[in-house]
Amino acid sequence: MGDPRDDVARLCAGLALLRKYAPDDVSGLIEQAKDGRLTAESLDSVLAKVHGPPPPSVWRGDQPGPALLGRFGRRSAHEVYVCPNSRCSRVTPRRSGEPAPTCHLDEARLRPTKL
């Protein structure tokens, strides 16, 4: 069994698509995610109704990301942001000058962190 936070991250990544193609199901999924009840099965059943592309993959902190190798070792080339409520496993890099990424469930700014 995978990390339940991955299911919330998949929901967050696919929320725009779901709002467009399955608007009646979105509020229930968001409520489940906020209450910690979202399951892969409930998300997959709604995603099966959607005939668009699958939600984008979610970049996780344990995966290699863009980095610079400096004098003192590996350094991230980006600022890295995570879920402000720690309910999902989403890790979002941000280049300098770009707007800070937001949580699509709460419409709140993601929290900067170090990996």
Side-chain angles (χ1 to χ4, degrees):
M1 184 169 143
D3 184 347
R5 297 176 338 120
D6 290 346
D7 297 322
V8 178
R10 284 193 315 134
L11 171 61
C12 192
L15 207 49
L17 180 74
L18 290 171
R19 283 187 171 131
K20 182 175 181 179
Y21 294 107
D24 296 336
D25 299 307
V26 169
S27 60
L29 290 174
I30 290 172
E31 184 179 306
Q32 290 173 26
K34 288 182 176 183
D35 293 344
R37 299 179 290 117
L38 183 69
T39 63
E41 293 78 21
S42 63
L43 179 58
D44 290 341
S45 70
V46 174
L47 289 174
K49 296 178 186 179
V50 177
H51 298 294
S57 61
V58 177
W59 189 81
R60 299 255 334 246
D62 52 73
Q63 295 174 337
L68 298 174
L69 206 51
R71 280 178 84 180
F72 303 106
R74 186 177 166 95
R75 298 278 187 246
S76 175
H78 303 282
E79 292 177 305
V80 181
Y81 289 76
V82 296
C83 181
N85 300 306
S86 301
R87 72 169 61 109
C88 91
S89 60
R90 181 175 163 207
V91 177
T92 304
R94 179 183 83 100
R95 292 189 186 274
S96 180
E98 290 180 350
T102 60
C103 168
H104 300 298
L105 296 177
D106 295 321
E107 298 302 324
R109 182 176 172 214
L110 294 181
R111 180 172 41 92
T113 190
K114 294 182 181 183
L115 293 179

